[in-house]
Amino acid sequence: HHNYSSYLVSRGRFDEAIAEVNTAIDLDPTSYFNQRVYANVLYFARRYDEAVPQCKRMIEMNEEKPATYQWLIRTLEAQGNESEAFEWFIKSLILAKEDDKTIQHFKTTYQRAGWQGVLLERVKTGCDETGNNQFRCASLNALLGNKDKAFEQLERAYQQHEWLIAFLQVERQL
């Protein structure tokens, strides 16, 4: 049910996807993966007011999953809540055991240049041609208006068979 839900989302069939993932949750309510798929469906359906608490519930279920923080950050950003997105971004850096210098660098960047500055720094420090997260990098570049770079990274994501490429037509950042 959760796999079918993901397929439905990739086709833009959000109401059906929500019904399908709810069936998965009914069958296994303690499944972290089902709960994650539900949060993803809500994000792609642009139901951010529901996706934020769902992501936070997932973090309560397992605080050690960095991907959950990333979905929450993207959802908060989509809501226009950049200050809270930044707070969770810093928490994600701490979870990833980033050094104090890196964390302070992002804090200074946020104070100086806001969320856009943080996005720019994320692209500078986390996106290169050899990485396996080209879809995410393409999304960040698209947000920053770097369309040519975003297309290059989408091509690499396609060539590397990244799973998120299936959500190309529904990813709001693109």
Side-chain angles (χ1 to χ4, degrees), residues 55-116:
C55 287
K56 289 178 179 179
R57 273 193 295 279
M58 291 170 47
I59 290 171
E60 288 173 9
M61 289 174 75
N62 188 339
E63 294 179 354
E64 303 299 315
K65 295 276 189 184
T68 307
Y69 290 76
Q70 297 310 313
W71 284 103
L72 177 58
I73 292 163
R74 291 170 65 213
T75 305
L76 290 165
E77 175 191 73
Q79 277 185 318
N81 192 345
E82 295 173 351
S83 62
E84 189 176 355
F86 180 72
E87 290 173 28
W88 284 98
F89 174 68
I90 293 299
K91 290 177 185 181
S92 75
L93 294 177
I94 293 167
L95 175 69
K97 297 182 178 21
E98 288 289 343
D99 60 82
D100 290 338
K101 182 179 175 184
T102 300
I103 293 170
Q104 188 55 51
H105 174 72
F106 277 108
K107 287 180 177 179
T108 302
T109 299
Y110 183 73
Q111 290 170 347
R112 190 180 65 246
W115 186 246
Q116 288 295 105

Side-chain angles (χ1 to χ4, degrees), residues 24 28 44 57 75 79 82 91 117 120-121 132 155-156 173:
D28 189 358
F44 285 122
R57 273 193 295 279
T75 305
Q79 277 185 318
E82 295 173 351
K91 290 177 185 181
L120 184 59
E121 284 302 310
N132 64 352
E155 178 62 28
R156 281 195 293 276
Q173 295 174 330

Side-chain angles (χ1 to χ4, degrees), residues 3 20 46 65 77 108 129 134 136 138 145 160-161 166:
N3 286 339
E20 203 63 40
R46 291 161 176 72
K65 295 276 189 184
E77 175 191 73
T108 302
E129 294 179 15
Q134 296 298 307
R136 287 274 179 253
Q160 294 173 9
H161 305 286

